[in-house]
Amino acid sequence: MPASTAGAASSRRNRRGSRAERLAPLVLLAPAVLVIAGLRLWPLVLGINFSFTGDGDRNGLAVGFDNYLTLLGDPLFRTALRNVGLLVLLLPVAVAIPGLLATFIYLKVPGHRFYRGVYFFPAVLSPVIVGAIFNLLLAFDGPLNALLGGLGIGPVDWLGDPDVAIFAVVGVHVWATFGMALVVFLAGFATLDSSLLDAAKVDGASLPQTIWHVIVPSLSRTIQFVFVTTMIGMLTSMFGLVYVMTSGGPEGSTYLPEYYVWIQQGQMNQPALASAASTALFLIMLVVGLAQISILRRAGKED
Amino acid sequence: MPRTRLTRWVVAIPMAVLALATIYPIVFTTNVAMKTRREYVLDRFSLADSLSWNNIVKAWTSVGMSRYFLNSVIVVACSVALLLLIGSMAGFALARLRFRGSSTLFLGVLAALFIPFQVIMVPLARIMADTGLVDTYPGLVLAYVAQFLPFTIFLLTSYYSTVPADIVDAARIDGNTVYGVYWRIMLPIGAPALLSVGVLNALFCWNDVLISLLMMPSAEHRTLMVGVTSLRGQYSDDIPTFASGVLIAAVPVLVVYLFLQRQIADGVTAGSTKG
């Protein structure tokens, strides 16, 4: 489709058209531009600015990097950062599980259509609903401990033990969202050249060999997309789970940066400190995102 | 790859177990919602003696879930309608009209796509408070529109880019204005994309808790998800009622999922193949 010539033709007609016609793009785009500029881009600038001002008595005064120093000194924020580190470490697992499951579904294991429909469902549920359900399931006297007790394990205080709770919350997040990545992987598989798989079959490649040498390289773009979106999901869509399952506890062990921002803004009335935490979260996301892309690019080239 | 029957089944069994683990929490919650409090305390795993709707009715009426439900429906409907209108106008203009600065604007949309709500929530709350929009339906609707508009524009722009330019040109030759082309040609042609993006946006807005918590602080304006979080404290000793509230919030999503699963998946994956 020669889009450029057609576009040029229509723009020529535009120029001949009435004034209202010429202004059409402006009119059509005005609401979107107003909303995005006014309520997304402008607040970003405001927030960064705001993070260099004070709270309470020093409201509105320039305080330099004081808020950031306060953050670094706050054990709760440090826990939040440590938990981000944990999420980054768990990221390959959170990507590999749906990747592997998608591979099996693509290879048409018995019942593959059913699995796709079932696995994807929790991904469309609100973290609030998922969190509320797991509050019941992970209760000390709840079903999971009863099941484990039947096997002679436990009981484990899933949401009450500071060393365990963050893993419980992250585990539930992975349970609730792996379907999203699975669907993305399946869309990637749909673009895969099946003759490559047939060739691997003829050559007698094993399943792990096929995955490593055929599927992973062919899906590198999809894998990269899943890595980045899964990480963004971990950093920005776990608020509901933390809020419902643990409220940051026990002993602040399940704090995440987004939850910290909420507490400082909504509960502690320290908006400037909250802005500093927001800005820090934004920087973390930029760094993690860019690092992932460059690592995956390099890995892609070596193949 | 699992070419023998045996390997296929070896893989299928853990997958079936996982499917069970995916379904069970929802079945468990439904079962609990049907139980009396006494039944739950005595044995939380047994099947409910009879299908009792008492808890559901209680959660819907006296607990106030009906009010929260209505709030959510109003806000979600208005947000999605506005998102589709503003998003399709912008998507059409970016994809099919030639004007100076169009690529810059598209870049701006992409940049906004990567700004998470958490990063701008403090200044946004202040803007809403300064303009008197905090704790109002328009305020929350506006916050949702701002949050999901970049994604909506991105998807609709890429969809409209696949519409042959000939169709637009033919409509112009037939004497349509640009607005006529948008209204009579682009909106109907875009229906599948609008459905997909609309469903996804409806889910995003319905499922949100953080934005709603920040923008709608008063109890009477609570959306359904915020309502569910408030149940947790109030009904910690009445788990069946709590489970009923959770179920009320989940059922609309389940219904939408059963009918529109493909459209949801299309929306989710749209960015991945074009990336």
Side-chain angles (χ1 to χ4, degrees):
Chain A
M1 179 54 52
S4 56
T5 52
S10 74
S11 81
R12 223 173 297 128
R13 218 166 294 121
N14 269 349
R15 240 168 274 137
R16 268 188 276 128
S18 66
R19 197 180 156 76
E21 291 279 286
R22 265 179 289 130
L23 287 176
L26 200 69
V27 175
L28 289 169
L29 277 161
V33 169
L34 277 178
V35 168
I36 291 180
L39 297 175
R40 308 269 306 164
L41 302 176
W42 174 236
L44 181 67
V45 178
L46 271 186
I48 294 172
N49 241 334
F50 204 38
S51 72
F52 294 105
T53 67
D55 282 313
D57 295 343
R58 300 201 294 164
N59 189 11
L61 297 176
V63 298
F65 283 89
D66 279 11
N67 289 320
Y68 293 91
L69 294 176
T70 310
L71 281 183
L72 290 178
D74 186 344
L76 284 176
F77 191 74
R78 287 217 295 259
T79 310
L81 287 184
R82 192 204 64 193
N83 286 340
V84 168
L86 186 72
L87 291 175
V88 174
L89 288 179
L90 289 172
L91 188 61
V93 182
V95 173
I97 292 173
L100 209 57
L101 291 168
T103 309
F104 295 145
I105 289 177
Y106 175 72
L107 296 173
K108 298 199 169 53
V109 295
H112 58 100
R113 279 207 189 87
F114 170 74
Y115 293 139
R116 181 199 162 116
V118 169
Y119 292 161
F120 188 37
F121 178 58
V124 302
L125 281 178
S126 170
V128 169
I129 294 175
V130 171
I133 290 175
F134 274 89
N135 261 339
L136 300 179
L137 293 175
L138 299 180
F140 193 67
D141 52 358
L144 185 61
N145 273 340
L147 180 74
L148 291 177
L151 302 169
I153 310 168
V156 180
D157 195 358
W158 297 104
L159 300 177
D161 184 334
D163 295 328
V164 177
I166 184 68
F167 290 98
V169 174
V170 175
V172 171
H173 177 76
V174 172
W175 174 87
T177 56
F178 80 92
M180 204 60 99
L182 180 93
V183 167
V184 173
F185 272 121
L186 285 172
F189 274 116
T191 66
L192 194 66
D193 183 1
S194 62
S195 64
L196 286 174
L197 289 178
D198 294 337
K201 201 177 198 172
V202 170
D203 291 346
S206 68
L207 179 59
Q209 281 174 329
T210 311
I211 291 176
W212 193 245
H213 294 293
V214 179
I215 293 177
V216 170
S218 320
L219 291 186
S220 62
R221 176 162 268 198
T222 305
I223 294 170
Q224 188 174 317
F225 181 85
V226 172
F227 257 99
V228 173
T229 50
T230 305
M231 191 67 226
I232 292 176
M234 283 177 160
L235 288 176
T236 64
S237 59
M238 287 184 62
F239 173 83
L241 278 187
V242 173
Y243 186 71
V244 172
M245 291 178 72
T246 63
S247 307
E251 297 167 30
S253 63
T254 53
Y255 261 70
L256 288 171
E258 54 170 333
Y259 190 76
Y260 186 91
V261 175
W262 154 253
I263 287 289
Q264 293 302 338
Q265 159 73 18
Q267 310 288 313
M268 311 302 285
N269 199 19
Q270 304 214 71
L273 184 61
S275 288
S278 286
T279 308
L281 173 61
F282 193 50
L283 288 178
I284 293 170
M285 291 186 54
L286 278 181
V287 168
V288 171
L290 292 175
Q292 273 174 359
I293 290 173
S294 74
I295 289 170
L296 291 167
R297 282 252 167 82
R298 210 173 307 140
K301 273 187 198 123
E302 276 164 16
D303 257 303
Chain B
M1 70 204 65
R3 69 211 93 194
T4 67
R5 286 183 83 128
L6 183 69
T7 29
R8 275 166 177 262
W9 285 103
V10 166
V11 171
I13 287 166
M15 289 185 81
V17 172
L18 184 63
L20 260 180
T22 309
I23 296 173
Y24 178 73
I26 296 145
V27 174
F28 176 81
T29 309
T30 312
N31 189 42
V32 169
M34 299 296 160
K35 289 186 169 197
T36 63
R37 234 160 116 180
R38 196 183 134 73
E39 262 183 274
Y40 178 77
V41 173
L42 289 178
D43 183 355
R44 45 204 60 184
F45 305 106
S46 65
L47 279 178
D49 281 347
S50 58
L51 280 184
S52 135
W53 298 94
N54 294 343
N55 300 314
I56 303 272
V57 172
K58 182 180 169 194
W60 181 255
T61 54
S62 57
V63 174
M65 293 299 279
S66 58
R67 179 67 208 251
Y68 305 151
F69 197 96
L70 185 67
N71 287 339
S72 274
V73 169
I74 293 171
V75 170
V76 171
C78 295
S79 304
V80 172
L82 266 177
L83 277 165
L84 292 183
L85 180 70
I86 301 177
S88 60
M89 280 160 52
F92 164 54
L94 288 171
R96 279 287 159 253
L97 298 179
R98 277 296 169 104
F99 58 97
R100 240 188 301 155
S102 76
S103 50
T104 316
L105 277 180
F106 190 66
L107 274 180
V109 172
L110 277 187
L113 195 58
F114 290 102
I115 304 173
F117 180 75
Q118 287 82 351
V119 170
I120 57 166
M121 77 185 214
V122 178
L124 197 62
R126 177 156 289 198
I127 291 172
M128 292 291 176
D130 288 348
T131 50
L133 285 170
V134 96
D135 209 24
T136 65
Y137 291 113
L140 184 55
V141 168
L142 207 55
Y144 282 149
V145 171
Q147 176 64 24
F148 303 118
L149 191 58
F151 163 78
T152 305
I153 295 178
F154 175 70
L155 284 197
L156 292 177
T157 304
S158 47
Y159 184 82
Y160 281 134
S161 304
T162 65
V163 175
D166 292 1
I167 294 179
V168 180
D169 286 341
R172 295 301 302 272
I173 290 164
D174 289 347
N176 282 293
T177 63
V178 176
Y179 305 106
V181 173
Y182 164 71
W183 192 254
R184 280 190 286 274
I185 314 289
M186 281 309 197
L187 276 188
I189 284 184
L194 291 173
L195 177 63
S196 183
V197 176
V199 173
L200 215 52
N201 276 325
L203 284 174
F204 290 156
C205 297
W206 184 267
N207 288 342
D208 163 72
V209 62
L210 179 57
I211 300 176
S212 173
L213 211 50
L214 198 71
M215 296 294 162
M216 292 287 232
S218 74
E220 69 195 288
H221 286 152
R222 265 179 202 151
T223 56
L224 196 51
M225 293 310 142
V226 179
V228 170
T229 64
S230 69
L231 286 185
R232 189 176 69 116
Q234 279 172 277
Y235 291 89
S236 52
D237 61 341
D238 184 359
I239 297 300
T241 302
F242 174 68
S244 299
V246 173
L247 211 56
I248 289 173
V251 162
V253 178
L254 178 63
V255 173
V256 166
Y257 183 75
L258 288 178
F259 288 101
L260 297 169
Q261 189 193 332
R262 212 191 36 142
Q263 280 77 6
I264 299 170
D266 285 350
V268 168
T269 56
S272 69
T273 43
K274 295 188 183 73

